[in-house]
Amino acid sequence: MAVEAGPARPTGPVELPDPVVVKDLAEALGASHADIINILIRNGIFASVNQAIDFDTASLVAADLGLEAVTLGAAERAAAEAAGTQDIVAPGASTDGDRRHAWTEDDAADLVTRAPIVTVMGHVDHGKTSLLDAIRETKVASGESGGITQHIGASEVVHDGKRIVFLDTPGHEAFSAMRARGAQVTDIAIIVVAADDGVMPQTKEAIDHVRAARVPMIVAINKIDKPDANPDRVKQELADNHVLIEEYGGDTIAVGVSAKQRTGIDALMEMILLVADLQDLKANPRRDAIGTIIESKVDRGRGNVATVLVQTGTLRIGQVVTVGRTWGRVRALNTAAGKRVREAGPSSAVEIIGLQGLPEAGDTLRVVADEKAARDAAEAVGAAAAGEVRTGSSLEDISARIGEAELAELRVVLKTDVQGSLGAIRGALERLNTDQVRVSVLREGAGDINESDVNLAAASEAVVIGFNTRLDPGAQRAVEATRVDVRLYEVIYKLTDDVGMAMSGLLKPKLVEQVEGHAEVRMVIKAGRAGNIAGSYVTDGRIVRGTGARVLRGGTLLADARITSLKRFKDDVREVATGYECGIGLDFDELAEGDVIECYQMVAESA
Ligand code: GDP
């Protein structure tokens, strides 16, 4: 695969008209259309390349790319206005009403405290499901549903008159999958550890994931009813894993519970509310809703059904929403308690009926003005997604971003052959820290690199560094799916050299030559000033336009040229496969019948 170089990034402030059309903005900022659309989508704005956005929005996009935007002078602005740019998109703005940058900060007066959203994680069989059941059974708001709760992917409980929302899918896999898609909905993570079993591999994984996401955690030491329960040992093991609970002088809260006997549940609820208070979670119920999809399914009878967790704003029946690549008009909203509601405010999970297609978990939902806006937004997301190759960040990408002062941290999952070499390598990495850039080790351990290591890196924009170790089969598959950069080293100084270069923003992709294929010249056609066209037959691989071409005659190299044109019959084509004839234009005019053209290109070396 060729690595396409984008347009050049400007260095100083960039002058922009107000409003500015997205494609012009891309050009001005030296970024691709897809990049700009992606940044806009991340900020909740769905615009196509031909739409215009206001200056404030454009300057935020510029800031995202580390650039400063300034408005054009008044004269230019008047000219731009006279040119008549219409269709300005600002999120939250209704179609013809207020078009000013409605997505700037919410008015402080509109912000209200919202309920925390909690995910339960931990080792298998430590009681995650039982704990969620115990919480639901003892705490679900009474009188709401006669006790019948529907599975919609999240449930609400009330403690001391305050709501808490639990995501029903326990485990860090769902948590990471969402995070890998840029969606983080969890405010607090509960790590369940069985008191009779202690900290186990998936407990450690869960801790790593929560740490990487910088989400506060509460430890629930479960099964304290068991005769062989040993909460003190659990606390010690947590400390060994750098989770210091309060008794040990740290600030992580631990609560002893028994999901089976329903004890300690109230204390756990209190601690959740305490941690939530400290986080000061706020949202604005008065704006249009923004939320994240946590589940979706096709239901016989009801059609596409998706559960959205509303994060801010209020979602109402009748509103038009965009969700990932699809959209719809909200026909009905149902709560986990099986109640039909007319609206859903911040931190509430509701099932939506009325979507045209099935969104994916992690998709963002937004209220838009009308069906046309919804369709355009869904298309913009589709187009951006089509142009986007899902890749983990390579060490070179991260290096480039550090070089542009976009990143101040290099995140690493570190695996070594033996425990003994961990300390040495971690120490060597930490010595590379500077005032500007730090190495942050999300997880370290001895042994093969496994699937969970790769997934943690994928969810956290990290690279995996292996020292005298290798990938197990699960990790291989995960690398193919996520394209996380896994670097294997056998010599410490090579490892520290690469990481050091990356941290100074200087690590460049290594280019290697890749031979694409060969063609045999069957006829040489004089093409005037444009040089010669070689009527050729592709004998193996493929011939690609714009690549390098070596001309070989009788096995000796005659010239190293470029393929300037490529035709099948009269049509220009990008590539021609084995077994086809084609016309190859070369910037070399001494071709003869029988010559062999070897097509090659330089590609970034992959791990
Ligand atoms: P998960 O895999 O983490 O979701 O664990 P489960 O909730 O399925 O529980 C695993 C097993 O532990 C089940 O047999 C539960 O009955 C049992 N269990 C869960 N919580 C407790 C508890 O507090 N006390 C006791 N004695 N057993 C429990």
Side-chain angles (χ1 to χ4, degrees):
M1 268 159 292
V3 187
E4 229 167 83
R9 272 288 142 81
T11 44
V14 185
E15 282 201 342
L16 297 175
D18 180 15
V20 56
V21 177
V22 170
K23 62 180 179 204
D24 299 340
L25 179 65
E27 190 168 326
L29 299 179
S32 70
H33 295 171
D35 280 347
I36 301 293
I37 286 175
N38 272 321
I39 295 171
L40 287 168
I41 290 169
R42 254 192 279 132
N43 286 298
I45 299 167
F46 302 98
S48 66
V49 288
N50 293 316
Q51 280 176 310
I53 56 176
D54 64 14
F55 176 78
D56 287 26
T57 308
S59 58
L60 284 158
V61 173
D64 198 296
L65 294 166
L67 294 168
E68 189 198 340
V70 293
T71 32
L72 282 178
E76 288 96 330
R77 200 153 55 231
E81 253 159 50
T85 329
Q86 289 131 14
D87 205 10
I88 303 170
V89 201
S94 57
T95 26
D96 14 55
D98 179 10
R99 283 206 162 151
R100 283 166 301 122
H101 19 275
W103 78 303
T104 44
E105 293 282 291
D106 290 303
D107 211 323
D110 290 332
L111 291 177
V112 299
T113 299
R114 66 171 178 82
I117 295 158
V118 182
T119 303
V120 175
M121 305 182 203
H123 194 70
V124 63
D125 279 348
H126 279 196
K128 299 179 292 291
T129 315
S130 309
L131 183 62
L132 276 166
D133 287 345
I135 292 167
R136 269 193 299 259
E137 275 169 39
T138 47
K139 305 302 304 181
V140 161
S142 53
E144 257 207 29
S145 64
I148 305 158
T149 53
Q150 321 285 321
H151 178 89
I152 68 166
S155 36
E156 271 181 29
V157 304
V158 176
H159 180 82
D160 258 357
K162 291 181 181 155
R163 294 166 56 239
I164 304 171
V165 179
F166 285 89
L167 295 180
D168 284 343
T169 315
H172 57 266
E173 293 83 2
F175 176 81
S176 289
M178 298 257 263
R179 232 161 62 73
R181 303 200 53 215
Q184 179 159 312
V185 295
T186 304
D187 299 310
I188 299 170
I190 309 272
I191 307 279
V192 180
V193 190
D196 60 341
D197 202 22
V199 171
M200 298 304 276
Q202 286 167 288
T203 320
K204 291 185 194 170
E205 281 179 25
I207 292 170
D208 291 339
H209 281 262
V210 170
R211 275 231 187 88
R214 299 200 167 88
V215 168
M217 68 174 96
I218 296 175
V219 179
I221 302 179
N222 189 30
K223 308 197 188 184
I224 52 167
D225 58 287
K226 284 200 145 185
D228 54 346
N230 188 349
D232 285 333
R233 198 189 83 202
V234 174
K235 292 173 191 171
Q236 182 56 55
E237 288 172 355
L238 286 168
D240 295 344
N241 285 282
H242 314 288
V243 176
L244 279 191
I245 63 158
E246 288 176 314
E247 282 169 69
Y248 282 67
D251 52 12
T252 305
I253 296 170
V255 187
V257 298
S258 164
K260 191 170 179 186
Q261 303 193 332
R262 310 276 191 263
T263 53
I265 307 292
D266 275 347
L268 181 59
M269 298 302 108
E270 256 149 52
M271 291 308 146
I272 291 172
L273 291 174
L274 181 79
V275 172
D277 263 355
L278 293 174
Q279 286 189 83
D280 196 24
L281 305 167
K282 291 271 199 305
N284 175 6
R286 297 175 62 171
R287 60 176 293 162
D288 282 338
I290 302 175
T292 299
I293 300 298
I294 54 174
E295 267 192 21
S296 67
K297 63 182 176 198
V298 182
D299 184 298
R300 253 189 336 134
R302 296 189 300 164
N304 299 315
V305 181
T307 300
V308 63
L309 188 65
V310 177
Q311 287 160 297
T312 189
T314 299
L315 180 64
R316 297 190 173 84
I317 287 187
Q319 284 180 325
V320 179
V321 294
T322 70
V323 199
R325 295 183 199 208
T326 185
W327 66 279
R329 188 178 286 278
V330 180
R331 282 199 284 120
L333 295 172
N334 301 316
T335 67
K339 245 189 13 181
R340 283 187 152 237
V341 290
R342 296 205 56 79
E343 57 178 44
S347 290
S348 52
V350 279
E351 259 186 0
I352 310 180
I353 319 280
L355 297 179
Q356 301 285 322
L358 208 58
E360 281 176 57
D363 279 347
T364 301
L365 172 141
R366 290 189 69 91
V367 170
V368 290
D370 55 23
E371 294 190 2
K372 182 181 178 309
R375 272 201 208 100
D376 288 351
E379 257 168 43
V381 173
E388 171 192 332
V389 190
R390 255 189 63 108
T391 56
S393 305
S394 71
L395 193 58
E396 285 82 5
D397 297 341
I398 293 172
S399 177
R401 289 172 61 194
I402 290 174
E404 288 171 22
E406 253 181 59
L407 270 184
E409 186 182 57
L410 171 62
R411 295 185 203 151
V412 167
V413 172
L414 178 63
K415 289 304 268 289
T416 57
D417 48 350
V418 288
Q419 196 72 26
S421 44
L422 268 182
I425 292 179
R426 177 189 258 269
L429 288 177
E430 279 167 359
R431 276 194 293 280
L432 298 170
N433 286 346
T434 65
D435 289 346
Q436 286 82 39
V437 193
R438 302 187 56 253
V439 175
S440 164
V441 179
L442 302 181
R443 168 187 295 169
E444 58 179 30
D448 284 352
I449 295 164
N450 60 34
E451 189 177 349
S452 152
D453 297 328
V454 175
N455 289 337
L456 175 61
S460 314
E461 281 194 285
V463 295
V464 180
I465 293 184
F467 182 72
N468 280 331
T469 183
R470 56 203 171 98
L471 289 95
D472 74 13
Q476 298 272 15
R477 280 193 298 275
V479 168
E480 276 157 34
T482 59
R483 311 193 55 182
V484 159
D485 194 1
V486 177
R487 322 281 288 211
L488 302 175
Y489 297 92
E490 287 169 1
V491 192
I492 290 198
Y493 79 82
K494 285 209 172 130
L495 187 163
T496 50
D497 269 7
D498 276 6
V499 173
M501 289 278 276
M503 288 175 70
S504 46
L506 297 174
L507 193 67
K508 298 275 184 298
K510 257 189 226 136
L511 294 178
V512 291
E513 183 190 301
Q514 177 173 307
V515 173
E516 297 291 342
H518 297 91
E520 204 179 280
V521 178
R522 301 237 158 128
M523 191 182 9
V524 179
I525 309 154
K526 291 268 177 240
R529 296 211 311 130
N532 291 339
I533 303 284
S536 317
Y537 176 80
V538 184
T539 52
D540 65 79
R542 57 181 192 153
I543 300 297
V544 184
R545 191 178 58 203
T547 57
R550 274 185 286 262
V551 181
L552 306 165
R553 186 171 299 165
T556 37
L557 178 69
L558 212 63
D560 199 346
R562 278 202 88 66
I563 298 179
T564 51
S565 72
L566 187 62
K567 282 188 195 291
R568 282 269 302 145
F569 303 106
K570 291 220 146 47
D571 300 329
D572 283 313
V573 290
R574 235 189 68 74
E575 63 173 77
V576 178
T578 311
Y580 288 97
E581 289 181 335
C582 57
I584 303 176
L586 284 188
D587 57 353
F588 171 67
D589 42 18
E590 290 156 37
L591 275 175
E593 212 178 295
D595 286 351
V596 169
I597 295 174
E598 180 172 76
C599 165
Y600 70 94
Q601 49 188 335
M602 303 305 288
V603 297
E605 188 179 45
S606 55

